[in-house]
Every structure is written in C-alpha cells, then in structure tokens.
C-alpha cells in the first residue's frame, strides 16, 4: 500500500483528447453510370488509400505542421531541456556557477531540437482505424487537457488542409 501511495503521488496526470476523422477517397465520377471500376479493384484501391491516410496521420510532415501552427516547440511540455546526467545535477551543488552565455543555435541544432519535439509529439499520438469503416480515431495525450484538445483539433484541421492541398 505504501509503494502504491508513493507511486501515485509522483505520477504525472495526463489527459487524452480524441478526435474521429472520416477518410474518403476523392470521387471524381459522381454518377453511377460513369463508373467502370471492377468491384474487387475498387476494394483493393480503397484499402491502399486507407493505409496511406493512416500513415499521413502519423507522419512527421503533419506533426511538424501542427507543431509549427501551435508553436509547441515553445511549450514548456516540449521546450524542456534534455535531462542532465546525475553527475551534472550533483556537480551544480558544489561547483561554482559560471556566467557564460550560451552560443546561438546553429541550423543543425535547430533541426535536432525540432526533431526531438516531433519525436515527443509522435510518441503521444495514436491513430486507430475503426474496423469495417472509413473512420479513424486519433488521440493525443498531454499533461494539459486544453493543450491535448487543441493539438487533436489542430491535427484534424491540418490533416484536412493537407488532403485538399494534395487532392
């Protein structure tokens, strides 16, 4: 009981924000008389399209769009520096502090930092297809419930925008 109480008191609460998206391929021919596809071929193309859309939803490209739109790289949840080593934490206790200024970030540092933000973003994102449908449940986990909801909604908006741009 004591271990459970200690673990619970140190647990960081998280919120999960879900959004449901419908993925439909573009249908250039609206009239049924214009369709010349073989039903089996249409099913295969449809399944290929759905797999592609799932990959888009979990893509780094879409993640970068959401991160950029919401400026998540500046969010405390994502902007936190990498954890220091144990020696580094203890050395701060007895070593004199210097007043050196940090060097400005180089483009490669920026790419690496953004890459870490994208990795953190994608680790909190799940996209689950709903069986026998064209629906996908997408959810995002965050410590801040409002941020989780904002990210889920922005992801849906950016996914729809990307679909229009590439359609």
């Amino acid at each position: 009981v004591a271990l459970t109480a200690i673990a619970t008191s140190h647990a960081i609460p998280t919120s999960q924000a879900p959004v449901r998206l419908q993925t439909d391929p573009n249908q250039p021919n609206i009239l049924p008389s214009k369709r010349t596809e073989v039903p089996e071929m249409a099913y295969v193309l449809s399944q290929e399209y759905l797999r592609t859309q799932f990959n888009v939803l979990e893509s780094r490209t879409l993640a970068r769009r959401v991160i950029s739109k919401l400026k998540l790289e500046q969010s405390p949840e994502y902007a936190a520096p990498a954890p220091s080593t144990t020696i580094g934490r203890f050395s701060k206790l007895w070593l004199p502090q210097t007043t050196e200024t940090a060097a400005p970030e180089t483009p490669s540092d920026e790419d690496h930092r953004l890459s870490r933000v994208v990795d953190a973003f994608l680790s909190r994102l799940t996209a689950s297809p709903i069986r026998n449908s064209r629906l996908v449940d997408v959810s995002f986990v965050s410590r801040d419930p409002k941020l989780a909801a904002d990210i889920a909604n922005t992801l849906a908006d950016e996914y729809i925008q990307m679909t229009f741009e590439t359609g």
Side-chain angles (χ1 to χ4, degrees), residues 18-159:
V19 65
R20 182 168 284 176
L21 295 170
Q22 182 173 339
T23 57
D24 285 329
N26 294 335
Q27 298 290 336
N29 296 328
I30 298 171
L31 301 175
S33 62
K34 295 278 186 180
R35 292 189 180 195
T36 58
E37 298 174 343
V38 178
E40 295 82 18
M41 189 60 169
Y43 176 79
V44 169
L45 292 174
S46 173
Q47 294 305 307
E48 182 178 294
Y49 177 81
L50 290 175
R51 279 192 303 274
T52 301
Q53 296 312 301
F54 300 144
N55 288 333
V56 168
L57 283 166
E58 295 179 330
S59 72
R60 295 182 76 79
T61 302
L62 183 57
R64 284 179 195 264
R65 285 178 71 139
V66 174
I67 290 165
S68 174
K69 181 139 191 175
L70 295 176
K71 298 179 180 18
L72 292 178
E73 66 278 1
Q74 298 169 5
S75 166
E77 201 166 326
Y78 291 98
S84 60
T85 63
T86 304
I87 294 172
R89 283 191 301 244
F90 288 124
S91 68
K92 290 180 182 176
L93 295 175
W94 63 77
L95 290 178
Q97 299 296 317
T98 60
T99 57
E100 296 177 21
T101 57
E105 279 190 345
T106 62
S108 63
D109 292 337
E110 174 67 24
D111 291 341
H112 180 68
R113 187 176 58 80
L114 185 57
S115 179
R116 284 188 294 137
V117 173
V118 171
D119 291 341
F121 180 93
L122 290 174
S123 71
R124 299 169 185 209
L125 176 72
T126 57
S128 307
I130 297 175
R131 190 176 180 147
N132 297 324
S133 75
R134 295 180 188 272
L135 300 175
V136 181
D137 280 336
V138 180
S139 62
F140 194 84
V141 177
S142 176
R143 288 182 238 156
D144 179 2
K146 182 181 179 336
L147 181 62
D150 288 346
I151 290 172
N153 290 329
T154 303
L155 183 108
D157 292 343
E158 289 298 315
Y159 167 74

Side-chain angles (χ1 to χ4, degrees), residues 6-14:
I6 292 170
T8 304
S9 69
H10 287 88
I12 298 171
T14 59

